[in-house]
Amino acid sequence: MLMYISCQIYARRWNNLKYFNDGFFFHKRDVYRHIKKSVATAAAIVLCFQGVSAVPGLSALMGICGITDRVNLGPETVYAEPVIAKGQIPAGDTNVRIRTESNTNCDIITKKNGGFTFDILQVVKTSDTYDWYKIGFNHEGSYTTGYIFGEYVQVLNDYNYEENTDFEAYLNKQGFPESYKAGLRQIHAQYPKWNFVARKISVDWNTFINNENVNGRSLVSGSSISSWKSIDAGCYDWETDTYVAKDSGNWVQASKELVEYCADPRNYLNTTNIFAFESLAYDSNTHNESGVNNVISGSFMANSSHDLSYNNQVYNYASALIVAANQSGVSPYHLATRILQEQGINGTGNSISGNVSGLNGLYNYYNIGAYKSGDLSAVEVGLKYAALEDSNTLRPWNTRMRALIGGAIFVGKAYINVGQNTIYYEKFDVFSGSYYHQYMTNIQAALSESAKAATAYTEEFKRDNAITFYIPVFNNMPSAACSKPTGDGNPNNYLAGLSVNGISLTPSFNMYNSEYGAVVASSVSSVTVGANAVSGKASVSGTGTYNLKYGTNVINIKVTAQNGKVRNYTVNIARPN
């Protein structure tokens, strides 16, 4: 009997076929195994093995058969596309859509709730803020691929870890807390050659978080869910029901809960985000154009027509970034991910357009010195910086290559070569004592950039090489990793107005005051209470007509924000007897 596999590839005696570590393994009887291109008995046999214990690896099979997708062998699944990590929908999320493409204008395959797990096949960066993940999962009896919005993905792994006394001793010698070990064990199970170095940070965890949570220091897109955005003083205007922009492009202050999640090293302990802890120093034995091409694949830098001539030579982006790496000492993979972070997957950032009015012909690929100042946008300030003279960093950056190389030199001198030599440390300045010296304010940058950095290496390279990761450990950390906030809905539960017909309240209404009093004549037997909320998304209860008894009458008005948070207002009305 022939069973369906994928892409019109078929196998005989599928129940004897096993897959392990990029190879097909057979067991039981000494029989022929045929891989065919159709269900027809007469179809051409493209592979035939007899009486063998193992056959060539999956890549060879894919090359012969032209497989580009999963191979479904009934109870066994062969991965014709590498699984880069495992993932799940976070607890509390419901009706999360899995789509046919990486956008919201396509068909929905299915909807899933928190706890649903899947294979992560690819990270697809479609905006400067969020990624999409290409995933594989079982759906209606078959292995299906689809796309899920990155906001609803928690990256994890579930590879079987067999206890290894040497590795356990190594973790203990490094001084990793117990809460780090589960993630490190899972990574080790998949990549046993990788090294993990505990970097002890002599800073209290709460001190670290409080400093990272300073207003304006850690930002998130204004389009994010509400639990990711701060409502602290100076971050949210309750009277106008708006978040306060901290940088151009509607970037607002991140909530403390999101800061904790993004700053917690334990949330990076998976085979994707672990690259936030990889050294960003250039290594000519490791970094090459092929890896750069993997990083920039699908972006504006792939197959670009930009003029990248320099010193009488013409480069493409991959070769140009190798030149920049040589001169700066910074990993070309990091330079590529930094550019994508700053300028977007499609290169729509005005800092590299070359046509900003009054600053034509200037480029700033890494957005160095770019911050909003008065009436000037961050782009304008950054390009004014690019216009200054500085031979050490090849300024002015009046060609694309001078901006690529000179900016890389700046990044090396200011960050990579002075201790802030990982993506994590570029964001979280734990060494200067000021917490101010950070490359980016985007609180999610280390997570998103590490996911992109992981794509630079082939699966074979990652399996066969001892990559080293420098992982921070703080003093007095929570016993478990900080959770990612998931709540959403407008937070505003204030009243914009409160009145009792024909009666003056004491004190006069102020949205921040929750208790009021009034006295009526003994002849007044009823009153009508009116109230309206600041936010049109909030609900108000407790209004209407009330009959008054003699003595004190307590009327409660409840304002429920869209996110479910409740605020109570009280009116005490005295009716003398």
Side-chain angles (χ1 to χ4, degrees):
M1 177 180 179
L2 295 174
M3 298 297 293
Y4 173 71
I5 300 181
S6 177
C7 300
Q8 297 186 17
I9 306 300
Y10 298 85
R12 185 182 297 277
R13 298 191 183 276
W14 60 274
N15 57 312
N16 290 332
L17 181 61
K18 300 293 180 183
Y19 172 68
F20 178 76
N21 198 21
D22 202 26
F24 288 97
F25 289 78
F26 300 95
H27 64 94
K28 298 183 182 177
R29 294 178 296 279
D30 179 14
V31 295
Y32 285 93
R33 275 80 181 182
H34 294 169
I35 305 295
K36 309 182 72 154
K37 283 195 173 181
S38 81
V39 294
T41 304
I45 297 172
V46 295
L47 289 179
C48 178
F49 305 103
Q50 180 185 22
V52 295
S53 59
V55 299
L58 179 60
S59 57
L61 178 63
M62 290 171 60
I64 295 172
C65 300
I67 299 175
T68 58
D69 208 340
R70 296 296 182 281
V71 182
N72 191 340
L73 299 172
E76 300 292 335
T77 298
V78 174
Y79 298 102
E81 183 177 352
V83 176
I84 62 174
K86 295 288 185 177
Q88 72 175 13
I89 297 174
D93 288 346
T94 58
N95 292 320
V96 176
R97 297 170 175 83
I98 299 175
R99 297 182 177 272
T100 55
E101 299 176 35
S102 55
N103 62 71
T104 58
N105 298 319
C106 60
D107 292 337
I108 298 171
I109 299 173
T110 186
K111 298 178 183 179
K112 297 294 183 181
N113 297 327
F116 174 71
T117 59
F118 43 80
D119 299 321
I120 296 177
L121 312 177
Q122 184 182 356
V123 182
V124 182
K125 194 169 184 64
T126 57
S127 75
D128 299 341
T129 306
Y130 296 119
D131 298 328
W132 286 77
Y133 288 85
K134 184 179 182 182
I135 68 170
F137 60 102
N138 291 314
H139 178 61
E140 297 181 350
S142 64
Y143 193 88
T144 304
T145 60
Y147 294 84
I148 185 171
F149 194 39
E151 180 180 335
Y152 302 109
V153 174
Q154 179 181 3
V155 179
L156 47 84
N157 281 315
D158 65 355
Y159 296 92
N160 292 326
Y161 171 76
E162 296 181 3
E163 187 168 350
N164 181 318
T165 55
D166 290 340
F167 184 66
E168 294 296 326
Y170 172 79
L171 293 180
N172 291 333
K173 183 177 180 180
Q174 284 293 318
F176 283 111
E178 286 299 318
S179 58
Y180 280 65
K181 292 179 180 178
L184 293 173
R185 288 171 183 140
Q186 293 292 322
I187 300 172
H188 179 74
Q190 189 173 0
Y191 301 107
K193 292 187 177 181
W194 288 5
N195 300 313
F196 311 107
V197 178
R199 192 168 184 180
K200 303 295 179 61
I201 309 298
S202 56
V203 175
D204 179 82
W205 172 257
N206 290 319
T207 300
F208 167 56
I209 293 300
N210 289 337
N211 279 278
E212 291 297 335
N213 195 43
V214 169
N215 193 347
R217 184 164 292 169
S218 295
L219 307 184
V220 70
S221 169
S223 62
S224 302
I225 60 174
S226 63
S227 61
W228 290 14
K229 297 179 287 190
S230 176
I231 55 175
D232 290 344
C235 303
Y236 179 78
D237 189 331
W238 296 97
E239 298 178 24
T240 60
D241 193 25
T242 55
Y243 291 92
V244 179
K246 301 297 178 181
D247 204 349
S248 303
N250 192 31
W251 287 85
V252 301
Q253 176 65 24
S255 67
K256 183 177 181 181
E257 292 75 17
L258 185 63
V259 171
E260 290 173 331
Y261 172 79
C262 294
D264 195 329
R266 293 166 294 190
N267 290 322
Y268 295 77
L269 299 184
N270 56 71
T271 56
T272 300
N273 297 120
I274 188 72
F275 283 88
F277 306 129
E278 180 193 19
S279 171
L280 300 181
Y282 174 50
D283 182 350
S284 60
N285 295 318
T286 300
H287 302 134
N288 53 53
E289 284 188 36
S290 176
V292 178
N293 279 320
N294 287 340
V295 176
I296 67 177
S297 175
S299 77
F300 75 94
M301 289 188 281
N303 304 314
S304 171
S305 60
H306 286 164
D307 178 8
L308 298 177
S309 56
Y310 184 68
N311 286 348
N312 299 319
Q313 294 191 49
V314 177
Y315 300 90
N316 57 29
Y317 272 103
S319 58
L321 288 171
I322 293 294
V323 173
N326 266 303
Q327 295 197 30
S328 66
V330 180
S331 160
Y333 303 166
H334 176 58
L335 296 176
T337 58
R338 170 66 60 224
I339 292 170
L340 292 176
Q341 182 75 36
E342 298 295 337
Q343 305 306 330
I345 193 75
N346 296 317
T348 54
N350 282 334
S351 296
I352 59 171
S353 69
N355 57 18
V356 174
S357 178
L359 297 163
N360 300 79
L362 294 169
Y363 306 90
N364 192 339
Y365 275 84
Y366 311 98
N367 276 343
I368 296 167
Y371 57 90
K372 181 174 172 54
S373 177
D375 293 333
L376 294 177
S377 69
V379 169
E380 290 171 318
V381 174
L383 290 177
K384 284 183 175 292
Y385 178 87
L388 299 175
E389 296 278 348
D390 178 22
S391 60
N392 291 326
T393 57
L394 304 184
R395 283 186 290 163
W397 293 334
N398 52 11
T399 71
R400 292 185 181 276
M401 281 297 285
R402 289 177 69 90
L404 284 169
I405 298 171
I409 292 171
F410 175 90
V411 172
K413 287 182 176 180
Y415 294 91
I416 311 306
N417 302 327
V418 294
Q420 287 180 263
N421 60 341
T422 69
I423 295 173
Y424 182 92
Y425 293 134
E426 277 191 305
K427 166 55 190 162
F428 301 110
D429 171 24
V430 296
F431 301 116
S432 70
S434 67
Y435 302 93
Y436 180 80
H437 192 254
Q438 56 181 18
Y439 191 98
M440 54 280 206
T441 55
N442 180 0
I443 189 62
Q444 296 174 287
L447 284 166
S448 61
E449 288 189 33
S450 58
K452 192 65 178 175
T455 67
Y457 302 113
T458 65
E459 188 65 19
E460 181 180 17
F461 183 93
K462 289 191 282 188
R463 282 200 309 267
D464 296 342
N465 288 271
I467 305 174
T468 299
F469 302 95
Y470 301 88
I471 305 169
V473 178
F474 294 86
N475 293 335
N476 303 316
M477 295 183 71
S479 59
C482 298
S483 299
K484 183 179 181 179
T486 58
D488 199 8
N490 185 288
N492 202 315
N493 55 10
Y494 278 99
L495 285 179
L498 175 63
S499 64
V500 180
N501 63 309
I503 299 172
S504 297
L505 297 177
T506 303
S508 299
F509 176 76
N510 181 311
M511 60 184 288
Y512 302 110
N513 184 48
S514 61
E515 189 161 353
Y516 299 87
V519 178
V520 299
S522 61
S523 60
V524 177
S525 59
S526 66
V527 294
T528 300
V529 176
N532 60 290
V534 172
S535 172
K537 297 177 180 179
S539 61
V540 179
S541 62
T543 59
T545 300
Y546 287 84
N547 294 321
L548 300 179
K549 65 181 182 179
Y550 293 113
T552 300
N553 297 263
V554 179
I555 299 174
N556 293 310
I557 298 92
K558 182 170 71 174
V559 188
T560 304
Q562 188 185 34
N563 67 4
K565 298 294 179 65
V566 175
R567 183 176 301 278
N568 291 301
Y569 289 81
T570 303
V571 179
N572 299 300
I573 299 179
R575 180 189 181 194
N577 187 346

